[in-house]
Amino acid sequence: MEEKDHLREELNEKLVEFFDRFTSWESSVIESGNMKISDAHAIEILGHHGRMNMKELACRLGITTGTTTMAVDRLERGGFARRVRAEHDRRSYIIELTEEGTLAYEEHHRHHLNLAGEIASVLGEDDTRTFIEILQKINEHI
Amino acid sequence: MEEKDHLREELNEKLVEFFDRFTSWESSVIESGNMKISDAHAIEILGHHGRMNMKELACRLGITTGTTTMAVDRLERGGFARRVRAEHDRRSYIIELTEEGTLAYEEHHRHHLNLAGEIASVLGEDDTRTFIEILQKINEHI
DNA sequence: ATCGAATTGTTTGATTATCAAACTATTTGG
DNA sequence: CCAAATAGTTTGATAATCAAACAATTCGAT
């Protein structure tokens, strides 16, 4: 049982360090573009999951709808996104990326793929596949 | 080469999802205590790496020293940390956790170990070891 | 069909986090 | 010994956030 505790400690240690490194990598990538972190996060979500209404965007961003209103105002002012009235519910808006917003998303996505590529080349093909399977299992259960 | 691209895409996909889940797990743990995220982050760093001066803390938090001054003021007011004059440099303060701060850190650390334990039990012992090795390799190279 | 309750998004008012730049006190190096 | 560098604080401005009140619309029970 002491053995299991040790494994747990070690896993936590590596996870926290990994998380820290990933976080600061993400910040530096975003700041190297001329984009604020919060805007970049919204663009990332819209690019990844596609158009959605304010409520869903707020939920995915983990902020209130009020704050999301401000964020989307900013994105519209910057030319990255637009509000479109929802067809079947006139209370609701669908937020979608403009062409410029899509370009910004693709630029960001390229950075992500570069990182993934670097990781894959460090691990080699077999370990990369194993890593993907492990992450998949964790994502399903956590 | 198309094969490699696909692997990269898949790895990125899983990494981003994992990162998202870990982030919202962390937020919910912190908010379940009555702690602000930024304070919790400082306490985590002080608990993990031990006492350090303002500059190092600022650097590890990824914020300016000015902002760190405010953060440490808050921690002192809340009874979680204290400033101690550095022995050999009277410009400098060493920031350390109080007993209450240490308890808060240990509480947070327990949550982390629980998550690590959950992950370990989902993966089983062999995959957990593999996962740790992989994370280790990535942390060394990224 | 209608009306009260629920839902969607916005506004408002307050608070907090943040930065850059100016500042103070101290140390360091030539 | 003094100029430059360094550690931390203060200041003034801005951005991000929340909770609560609000308006417009939809839903559901009767």
Side-chain angles (χ1 to χ4, degrees):
Chain A
M1 217 51 206
E2 200 177 296
E3 180 56 26
K4 282 231 163 101
D5 280 359
H6 178 254
L7 207 64
R8 242 173 21 150
E9 280 279 1
E10 210 176 336
L11 176 56
N12 180 55
E13 177 84 20
K14 303 299 177 210
L15 276 175
V16 168
E17 187 180 345
F18 176 66
F19 190 77
D20 261 16
R21 286 173 188 276
F22 203 92
T23 302
S24 60
W25 174 84
E26 182 87 12
S27 304
S28 75
V29 161
I30 288 171
E31 278 155 20
S32 80
N34 33 21
M35 180 77 62
K36 306 268 177 212
I37 303 263
S38 59
D39 292 350
H41 199 185
I43 287 175
E44 214 181 330
I45 287 173
L46 288 168
H48 186 76
H49 295 96
R51 60 216 296 282
M52 64 187 71
N53 67 17
M54 296 294 289
K55 195 190 178 184
E56 185 177 352
L57 181 56
C59 175
R60 286 193 190 273
L61 284 167
I63 59 182
T64 63
T65 56
T67 303
T68 306
T69 294
M70 300 301 183
V72 171
D73 285 352
R74 236 178 6 256
L75 291 180
E76 278 199 320
R77 249 181 286 128
F80 295 106
R82 68 172 79 89
R83 288 171 168 90
V84 181
R85 293 232 73 125
E87 293 208 0
H88 299 305
D89 186 343
R90 301 207 303 157
R91 291 168 304 181
S92 193
Y93 291 100
I94 304 298
I95 317 304
E96 60 184 23
L97 294 179
T98 59
E99 196 167 337
E100 191 179 347
T102 304
L103 288 176
Y105 170 69
E106 284 165 355
E107 164 74 6
H108 186 75
H109 188 61
R110 257 194 305 282
H111 281 289
H112 267 276
L113 290 183
N114 284 345
L115 179 65
E118 233 178 288
I119 290 176
S121 84
V122 165
L123 295 182
E125 192 167 328
D126 287 355
D127 271 2
T128 299
R129 286 187 200 286
T130 306
F131 189 37
I132 289 172
E133 275 162 32
I134 286 176
L135 289 173
Q136 171 66 31
K137 257 196 228 173
I138 295 172
N139 288 339
E140 272 167 14
H141 286 84
I142 301 294
Chain B
M1 214 55 207
E2 201 177 294
E3 182 55 25
K4 282 234 162 98
D5 280 359
H6 178 254
L7 207 64
R8 240 171 26 150
E9 279 280 2
E10 211 176 337
L11 176 56
N12 179 56
E13 176 85 21
K14 304 301 178 208
L15 276 175
V16 168
E17 186 179 345
F18 177 66
F19 189 78
D20 260 17
R21 285 173 189 275
F22 202 93
T23 301
S24 60
W25 174 84
E26 182 87 12
S27 303
S28 75
V29 161
I30 288 171
E31 278 155 19
S32 82
N34 33 22
M35 182 77 62
K36 306 269 177 211
I37 303 263
S38 59
D39 292 350
H41 198 186
I43 288 175
E44 216 181 329
I45 286 172
L46 288 168
H48 186 74
H49 293 97
R51 60 216 296 282
M52 66 187 68
N53 65 18
M54 297 293 288
K55 196 189 176 184
E56 185 176 352
L57 182 57
C59 174
R60 285 194 191 273
L61 285 167
I63 60 183
T64 63
T65 57
T67 304
T68 306
T69 294
M70 301 299 183
V72 171
D73 285 353
R74 239 180 2 259
L75 290 179
E76 276 197 321
R77 250 181 286 128
F80 294 106
R82 68 172 77 89
R83 286 172 169 88
V84 181
R85 293 232 73 125
E87 296 207 357
H88 300 304
D89 186 343
R90 303 205 304 159
R91 291 168 303 182
S92 192
Y93 291 101
I94 303 298
I95 316 305
E96 59 184 24
L97 293 180
T98 59
E99 196 166 338
E100 191 179 348
T102 304
L103 288 176
Y105 170 69
E106 284 166 354
E107 164 75 7
H108 186 75
H109 188 62
R110 258 195 304 283
H111 281 290
H112 267 276
L113 290 183
N114 283 344
L115 179 64
E118 234 179 286
I119 289 175
S121 84
V122 165
L123 295 182
E125 192 168 326
D126 287 354
D127 271 2
T128 299
R129 287 187 199 287
T130 306
F131 189 36
I132 289 172
E133 277 163 32
I134 286 176
L135 288 174
Q136 171 65 31
K137 254 195 233 175
I138 294 173
N139 289 339
E140 273 168 14
H141 286 84
I142 299 295

